[in-house]
Amino acid sequence: MTAGLYSARARLRVLLLERLAPGGQVLTTDRVENYPGFPEGISGFELVDRMKSQAERFELPIRNEEVMRLDLRAEPKRVFLPHEELEAKAVILALGATWKKLGIDGEGLFTGKGVSYCATCDGPFFRDQQVAVIGGGDTAMEEALFLTRFASKIYVVHRRDRLRATRLLQERAMDDPRIEFLWETVPTRILGGSGVEGIELRHVRTGEVYTKPIHGVFVFIGTVPNTQLVKGQLELDEEGFILTDQNMETAVPGVFAAGDVRSKLFRQISTAVGEGAAASYSAERYLESRGHH
Ligand code: NAP
């Protein structure tokens, strides 16, 4: 959204392509507390809506269509939509990332029937029930805290004996009487009939296997980049995130990347926004250098 906004405001001939609705992971965030300018916090949905209105004020065209294939090495670059082919002199990839799956028995079977990757979306279904949250990062802590509004008990299952999440979120989660931590523990199976009824767990040091009766499993074990479209065309890191220089430029001239899809340490809305602005600026400079402006 930021790359689009900056490009539209710079009067580049730009088109934003989005397969579903603009906003990505932010849309499923209940409350954004650390994005500057909103001292009381803001819902993810509203933040996206405001960004969209702002981009539209600068007449950014947005098309809700899925990109099926990209040819980034062609000149101009080619973008294949389901029923149309577009040409672009520069491409900014802000493809984001998707929740990682556990890959254990029952996860696929019960997805949408008790296994969830979005507490904001599914939390209210678990009023007064016991649930498990898997993961020890910021997302797991935030979502576990959100679930305390509904669930009677939240087991946070973490594979190590200390959390990855920032101190503030750790403290809040540890202070909440509804949250119980199961340390050095991994889920091995999700059990149930028509819905989830329990989770089988294994203590990683002692090897002890046991089950907890729960009705929901919320999985927050990190993300995988949405780089299927660019595999084989761009340099990726070992986890599949796109490598760029500090100006968001990839090794392919005229191709830029910004946000969670980029190889980096820190994934925040504020960092994504900054990178979107930088990518737009770099794209503009690239076009100028080619006499395209
Ligand atoms: P993350 O930081 O990568 O944490 C993933 C967690 O899941 C880690 O605790 C990891 O354990 C665990 N894990 C990974 N694979 C696992 C597996 N197969 N089985 C069991 N556990 C597994 O992911 P995230 O929490 O989604 O955060 C992603 C990025 O967004 C981070 O940069 C984070 O700071 C940011 N974020 C920020 C905020 C905020 O600032 N408010 C909110 C949400 C997200 P280990 O610790 O042992 O590796």
Side-chain angles (χ1 to χ4, degrees), residues 152-223:
S152 55
K153 172 121 204 170
I154 297 122
Y155 294 106
V156 173
V157 180
H158 184 39
R159 63 184 179 184
R160 286 188 299 143
D161 63 355
R162 84 184 56 140
L163 297 170
R164 180 177 293 281
T166 48
R167 185 63 63 88
L168 177 81
L169 290 171
Q170 289 196 20
E171 283 171 5
R172 279 193 201 159
M174 289 187 183
D175 285 349
D176 198 296
R178 291 192 192 207
I179 298 180
E180 183 181 328
F181 285 87
L182 303 175
W183 301 106
E184 297 181 277
T185 301
V186 290
T188 45
R189 208 145 53 106
I190 297 166
L191 314 160
S194 57
V196 170
E197 287 163 13
I199 188 164
E200 184 185 88
L201 301 165
R202 181 169 55 84
H203 194 277
V204 292
R205 257 183 327 102
T206 66
E208 185 201 351
V209 175
Y210 61 103
T211 53
K212 284 267 182 209
I214 42 114
H215 287 103
V217 182
F218 289 85
V219 183
F220 302 113
I221 57 168
T223 56

Side-chain angles (χ1 to χ4, degrees), residues 260-281:
D260 277 14
V261 76
R262 211 170 68 83
S263 178
K264 58 176 176 174
L265 258 182
F266 200 36
R267 297 198 163 79
Q268 298 280 299
I269 305 170
S270 53
T271 58
V273 160
E275 291 166 26
S280 167
Y281 181 69

Side-chain angles (χ1 to χ4, degrees), residues 111-126:
T111 292
K113 295 183 202 142
V115 174
S116 169
Y117 304 86
C118 175
T120 322
C121 318
D122 301 325
F125 296 125
F126 299 93

Side-chain angles (χ1 to χ4, degrees), residues 7-265:
S7 302
R9 192 166 177 273
R11 293 270 169 252
L12 299 176
R13 278 185 57 211
V14 59
L15 172 66
L16 187 139
L17 289 162
E18 164 61 56
R19 101 181 120 176
L20 294 166
Q25 287 181 62
V26 180
L27 274 184
T28 64
T29 304
D30 175 55
R31 198 119 206 110
V32 177
E33 272 194 334
N34 51 4
Y35 187 71
F38 299 92
E40 313 301 329
I42 181 167
S43 80
F45 184 86
E46 195 187 341
L47 183 59
V48 167
D49 200 49
R50 285 177 178 232
M51 286 187 183
K52 187 159 171 268
S53 310
Q54 193 173 357
E56 283 169 347
R57 236 191 92 206
F58 295 107
E59 293 163 17
L60 171 70
I62 299 179
R63 261 173 78 172
N64 278 104
E65 254 181 293
E66 177 156 11
V67 175
M68 310 307 289
R69 193 159 72 80
L70 281 172
D71 187 352
L72 298 174
R73 304 220 176 223
E75 210 51 77
K77 289 134 201 358
R78 293 160 75 190
V79 180
F80 298 85
L81 304 178
H83 305 290
E84 198 183 340
E85 189 187 318
L86 307 176
E87 289 186 343
K89 287 170 181 145
V91 171
I92 298 174
L93 302 161
L95 296 161
T98 308
W99 304 120
K100 213 194 267 178
K101 307 272 191 300
L102 283 165
I104 58 171
D105 264 10
E107 185 181 23
L109 183 65
F110 293 116
T111 292
K113 295 183 202 142
V115 174
S116 169
Y117 304 86
C118 175
T120 322
C121 318
D122 301 325
F125 296 125
F126 299 93
R127 203 170 284 279
D128 302 323
Q129 296 184 354
Q130 305 206 114
V131 300
V133 164
I134 320 297
D138 283 334
T139 309
M141 292 314 108
E142 272 193 349
E143 304 295 298
L145 285 160
F146 177 75
L147 287 166
T148 61
R149 296 190 206 176
F150 312 103
S152 55
K153 172 121 204 170
I154 297 122
Y155 294 106
V156 173
V157 180
H158 184 39
R159 63 184 179 184
R160 286 188 299 143
D161 63 355
R162 84 184 56 140
L163 297 170
R164 180 177 293 281
T166 48
R167 185 63 63 88
L168 177 81
L169 290 171
Q170 289 196 20
E171 283 171 5
R172 279 193 201 159
M174 289 187 183
D175 285 349
D176 198 296
R178 291 192 192 207
I179 298 180
E180 183 181 328
F181 285 87
L182 303 175
W183 301 106
E184 297 181 277
T185 301
V186 290
T188 45
R189 208 145 53 106
I190 297 166
L191 314 160
S194 57
V196 170
E197 287 163 13
I199 188 164
E200 184 185 88
L201 301 165
R202 181 169 55 84
H203 194 277
V204 292
R205 257 183 327 102
T206 66
E208 185 201 351
V209 175
Y210 61 103
T211 53
K212 284 267 182 209
I214 42 114
H215 287 103
V217 182
F218 289 85
V219 183
F220 302 113
I221 57 168
T223 56
V224 283
N226 298 327
T227 37
Q228 300 84 339
L229 277 173
V230 302
K231 264 193 196 122
Q233 303 192 59
L234 294 180
E235 258 183 272
L236 308 178
D237 70 13
E238 60 279 7
E239 289 173 79
F241 292 90
I242 299 174
L243 291 163
T244 73
D245 67 9
Q246 59 172 357
N247 298 319
M248 311 305 138
E249 226 168 317
T250 69
V252 177
V255 180
F256 307 84
D260 277 14
V261 76
R262 211 170 68 83
S263 178
K264 58 176 176 174
L265 258 182

